[in-house]
């Protein structure tokens, strides 16, 4: 059985063999999780070897490129096409870039190619309240108009997860909520799901454990009580 957990594959600093590190974690966990999230730390460590990691994640439902894109539509489109070629199927993009010649370009393309667009509504770190969270209503409006598949709302903000879920229900919008911030950043495993999120992103709590599979099974046990 697969659980609504997405493992963030951020390698520890100074890992001598980042490729082996990533492949081992995927091997140990892929029967239990819905997907993986890969960001700049692993992309920069691996370069072209990244495709070997993506071969291993091929059967996972969500293979997320977390480059937090925030560019003009044409350039994001070029980036996303390259990411799709190597095996990603989901792309995290900032919603503050806006729709026109921004999100609308990639939204149209992803709909045609069955890729998934995930925008950022609120981040898990405290600084998110300085600019991003103040514009939550606008960002949600842009996200819904872009017909995004999902959005990121930090697990550290259960009230915003609840608000997002309430609004999407009211508007009859099928928008998935993906929540990072579990474990090292303070939120408890299962707490975001309880607040209304669809998936929890968990990184270091699992990947820094000497026995990632056992740690994941421990976390899954906590989910049963949710
Ligand atoms: P960890 O569970 O180790 O804290 O990792 C969280 C992951 O989610 C990291 O890859 C980070 O880049 C990402 N993330 C986050 O922590 N907060 C956000 O608001 C958005 C993110 O993508």
């Amino acid at each position: 059985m697969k659980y609504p957990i997405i493992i963030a594959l951020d390698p520890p600093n100074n890992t001598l063999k980042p490729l082996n590190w990533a492949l081992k974690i995927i091997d140990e966990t892929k029967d239990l999780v819905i997907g993986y999230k890969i960001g700049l730390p692993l992309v920069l460590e691996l370069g072209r070897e990244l495709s070997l990691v993506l071969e291993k994640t091929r059967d996972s439902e969500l293979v997320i490129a977390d480059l937090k894109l925030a560019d003009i539509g044409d350039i994001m489109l070029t980036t996303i096409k390259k990411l799709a070629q190597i095996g990603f199927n989901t792309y995290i993009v900032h919603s503050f870039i806006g729709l026109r010649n921004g999100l609308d370009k990639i939204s149209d393309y992803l709909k045609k190619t069955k890729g998934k667009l995930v925008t950022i509504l609120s981040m898990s770190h405290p600084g998110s309240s300085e600019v991003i969270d103040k514009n939550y209503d606008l960002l949600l409006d842009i996200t819904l108009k872009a017909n995004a598949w999902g959005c990121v709302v930090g697990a550290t903000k259960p009230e915003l997860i609840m608000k997002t879920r309430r609004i999407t229900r009211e508007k009859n919008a099928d928008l998935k909520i993906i929540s990072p911030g579990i474990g090292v950043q303070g939120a408890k495993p299962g707490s975001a799901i309880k607040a209304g999120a669809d998936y929890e992103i968990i990184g270091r709590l699992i990947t820094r454990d000497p026995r990632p599979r056992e740690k994941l099974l421990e976390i899954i046990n906590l989910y049963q009580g949710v």
Side-chain angles (χ1 to χ4, degrees):
M1 172 167 178
K2 299 211 174 182
Y3 293 85
I5 295 172
I6 297 161
I7 296 186
L9 289 172
D10 300 314
N13 294 332
N14 310 317
T15 323
L16 290 176
K17 295 186 171 166
L19 177 61
N20 293 355
W21 173 87
L23 296 178
K24 183 172 173 288
I25 290 180
I26 298 165
D27 269 336
E28 282 189 30
T29 57
K30 68 178 175 197
D31 60 319
L32 294 170
V33 300
I34 197 85
Y36 297 90
K37 184 183 82 66
I38 293 171
L40 279 173
L42 193 63
V43 172
L44 293 172
E45 281 285 356
L46 295 186
R48 293 199 172 272
E49 283 187 329
L50 186 63
S51 56
L52 300 173
V53 172
L54 291 161
E55 253 168 51
K56 262 229 185 300
T57 57
R58 208 173 20 201
D59 299 329
S60 293
E61 202 171 309
L62 298 176
V63 186
I64 305 179
D66 178 15
L67 302 184
K68 298 193 177 66
L69 299 174
D71 209 330
I72 59 168
D74 286 336
I75 302 302
M76 288 196 294
L77 201 52
T78 307
T79 308
I80 284 175
K81 283 179 179 171
K82 282 196 185 299
L83 292 167
Q85 265 169 18
I86 58 170
F88 287 102
N89 61 26
T90 307
Y91 311 89
I92 299 185
V93 178
H94 272 294
S95 45
F96 61 68
I97 57 159
L99 284 167
R100 284 174 294 145
N101 277 350
L103 286 174
D104 57 3
K105 286 229 162 171
I106 47 180
S107 171
D108 289 346
Y109 172 77
L110 289 176
K111 228 164 286 150
K112 278 185 223 139
T113 57
K114 299 209 182 337
K116 297 181 177 78
L117 169 65
V118 173
T119 64
I120 295 179
L121 281 190
S122 171
M123 294 185 68
S124 56
H125 67 306
S128 183
S129 63
E130 295 166 17
V131 176
I132 298 179
D133 296 1
K134 285 187 179 142
N135 293 288
Y136 168 89
D137 292 331
L138 263 176
L139 299 179
L140 177 59
D141 189 48
I142 288 171
T143 295
L144 292 174
K145 284 187 177 139
N147 257 313
W149 174 84
C151 64
V152 170
V153 182
T156 49
K157 316 255 177 70
E159 68 293 343
L160 272 187
I161 296 175
M162 285 185 246
K163 182 173 175 184
T164 309
R165 181 49 75 222
R166 180 173 50 73
I167 295 174
T168 55
R169 276 209 188 108
E170 279 166 13
K171 292 185 188 275
N172 226 348
D174 182 17
L175 182 71
K176 309 287 181 213
I177 301 174
I178 302 179
S179 292
I182 305 283
V184 175
Q185 296 182 57
K188 286 205 170 65
S191 62
I193 300 278
K194 199 171 175 187
D198 295 281
Y199 306 102
E200 292 185 350
I201 293 174
I202 310 179
R204 290 164 291 176
L205 186 63
I206 295 169
T207 63
R208 300 303 188 267
D209 195 280
R211 298 160 74 204
R213 185 177 176 87
E214 276 66 29
K215 186 70 190 176
L216 174 59
L217 287 167
E218 211 179 276
I219 292 167
I220 286 169
N221 251 330
L222 296 175
Y223 271 59
Q224 319 295 347
V226 170

